[in-house]
Amino acid sequence: MSKAVVVGGGIGGLATAIGLIRCGWEVEVLERAARIEEVGAGISLWSNALRALDALGVGDQVRARAVDDGAAGIRDSKGRWISRVDTETIRARFGNPIVMHRADLLDILHAALPEEALRTGISVSEARTDGTVIHSAGTSTGDLVVGADGLRSVVRRAVCGDITPRYRGYSAWRLVVAPAQPITELGESWGRGERFGFVSLSDGRVYCFAAATMPERTPSGGLAELRRRFGTWHDPIPSLLASAEESAVLKHDLYDLPPLKTYVAERIALIGDAAHAMTPNLGQGACQALEDAVILARVATEDTDLTRYDQERRPRTQMLVTRSRRIGTMAQLSSPPLVALRNAALRLIPASVQANSLAPVLDWTC
């Protein structure tokens, strides 16, 4: 039986482990955290991700703990529509996107793994192309090493040396709130160098996300800063922030990776953020990690040469990194004339063009 060592127990790492086990592999997952958990954030899963989850055998469980993404489009800070989403066309053509809490997705993936496959509290210091992984509890070896250890991946060094993530000029907040009144119309609003979005979760809570242009490593002002920036925006944003608790607020600078020359080196393959970290503007970061998991499990089972995995995944994911970065640049415009021009241009784009633009992202199949 072939063995894989998966470094990282996040969404991509757990999904890859599941895929490999379904293909007959022995798997050892090494996770730095003491336990598998994710707090304070929601996640959108588009139809491409749901196909990947179906291939992993957990799609129905995921759908059962999610709700349809009812986002209606983009408004300005006063609530005037900039761009409406033709949800019926998109759902008919691509299927329903869904929204869930990240913790629920991790729970499902974790439960699909044999307990003995997961080792927590393990810090990896080095990976070698011969399949050796050096870590805080000793050494592990495998026929395959999967680098699923995120933006600042240790495993990536063995594939392409030190790569510096690129700060994209803006930071993001995430929080889940329990609103006083149900939220019916969902979506995202764009201001000048600022954005705020909100979607419902299955338990009646609302996942909120915001972004603002600022220097890297700017200290967070927490909930007070969010209320200062967005408290006068259109309803229901002020009431959502009024319902929020300080402990729920997470703030992160946003980065992506420059294009790597390869995702593989001998017995090592990179997935998810370790290979192609992207800004969240397309909602495809976790979706692409799930695609990676399915393709890598299949390729590694069929062939000891991982080149085909690189050939299948690198062009697609790097295209999406670029596309997401461009959307973020447009969304974060702060010059009043450029913002006015952007909003006017978006209002003129037909719904059919919007749907067609999603095809390269969502038409992926296993």
Side-chain angles (χ1 to χ4, degrees):
M1 178 184 291
S2 298
K3 179 184 176 182
V5 180
V6 179
V7 181
I11 291 170
L14 295 180
T16 304
I18 293 167
L20 289 166
I21 289 171
R22 288 170 65 86
C23 291
W25 288 66
E26 176 189 354
V27 175
E28 179 182 3
V29 180
L30 305 176
E31 167 54 38
R32 180 174 58 185
R35 57 183 180 176
I36 301 295
E37 62 181 356
E38 176 83 34
V39 296
I43 185 171
S44 294
L45 296 171
W46 289 83
S47 53
N48 55 316
L50 292 173
R51 292 187 198 102
L53 289 163
D54 286 335
L56 297 172
V58 295
D60 289 343
Q61 296 174 59
V62 169
R63 291 181 183 90
R65 294 174 70 173
V67 293
D68 286 352
D69 185 344
I74 301 170
R75 289 179 276 191
D76 65 16
S77 61
K78 296 184 183 299
R80 297 170 297 201
W81 287 104
I82 298 173
S83 175
R84 296 296 298 262
V85 173
D86 185 349
T87 54
E88 290 187 6
T89 297
I90 289 174
R91 287 172 179 169
R93 182 168 175 182
F94 303 113
N96 287 350
I98 62 173
V99 180
M100 67 190 307
H101 201 289
R102 280 178 178 265
D104 290 339
L105 178 57
L106 277 175
D107 283 348
I108 292 167
L109 296 175
H110 187 191
L113 277 182
E115 256 330 294
E116 65 272 15
L118 180 62
R119 300 178 65 187
T120 57
I122 304 292
S123 297
V124 171
S125 57
E126 182 185 358
R128 299 173 183 168
T129 56
D130 65 357
T132 303
V133 177
I134 311 299
H135 52 74
S136 56
T139 301
S140 298
T141 58
D143 302 286
L144 169 67
V145 174
V146 180
D149 50 340
L151 176 70
R152 305 190 185 279
S153 169
V154 171
V155 178
R156 187 172 60 229
R157 295 182 200 144
V159 177
C160 47
D162 287 325
I163 301 293
T164 303
R166 305 176 297 192
Y167 179 56
R168 298 321 316 180
Y170 50 102
S171 299
W173 294 266
R174 298 176 297 155
L175 63 158
V176 173
V177 305
Q181 300 293 329
I183 303 301
T184 56
E185 197 162 57
L186 314 174
E188 190 169 334
S189 300
W190 291 6
R192 291 190 289 119
E194 296 176 331
R195 287 178 280 165
F196 195 100
F198 48 96
V199 293
S200 293
L201 299 175
S202 60
D203 58 4
R205 293 182 298 169
V206 175
Y207 167 48
C208 301
F209 51 94
T213 301
M214 62 182 66
E216 186 178 13
R217 291 185 289 274
T218 299
S220 174
L223 191 53
E225 181 178 2
L226 283 173
R227 289 171 176 165
R228 175 181 62 81
R229 287 180 177 273
F230 302 105
T232 60
W233 284 34
H234 66 83
D235 291 334
I237 294 173
S239 62
L240 289 172
L241 292 174
S243 302
E245 297 181 2
E246 187 70 51
S247 60
V249 178
L250 301 174
K251 178 176 179 287
H252 300 282
D253 291 343
L254 294 180
Y255 299 85
D256 64 16
L257 284 181
L260 305 187
K261 293 181 179 180
T262 181
Y263 290 174
V264 302
E266 296 184 28
R267 295 188 178 186
I268 297 179
L270 303 175
I271 72 159
D273 284 354
H276 46 72
M278 63 186 71
T279 55
N281 303 297
L282 275 173
Q284 280 290 314
C287 299
Q288 291 306 303
L290 292 167
E291 287 186 18
D292 290 344
V294 172
I295 299 302
L296 178 58
R298 187 183 72 211
V299 169
T301 301
E302 294 173 352
D303 193 345
T304 56
D305 182 358
L306 298 173
T307 302
R308 184 156 57 90
Y309 167 75
D310 179 64
Q311 292 172 340
E312 285 196 39
R313 297 305 300 155
R314 190 157 50 90
R316 171 168 170 76
T317 53
Q318 290 181 351
M319 176 271 290
L320 293 174
V321 171
T322 299
R323 185 167 174 172
S324 186
R325 182 173 67 249
R326 289 173 177 168
I327 292 172
T329 298
M330 179 176 62
Q332 290 301 130
L333 289 173
S334 57
S335 163
L338 291 178
V339 168
L341 181 62
R342 174 198 69 193
N343 293 357
L346 287 174
R347 289 186 177 102
L348 295 175
I349 297 176
S352 60
V353 173
Q354 293 181 24
N356 289 337
S357 73
L358 289 172
V361 182
L362 304 182
D363 273 348
W364 176 86
T365 58
C366 305

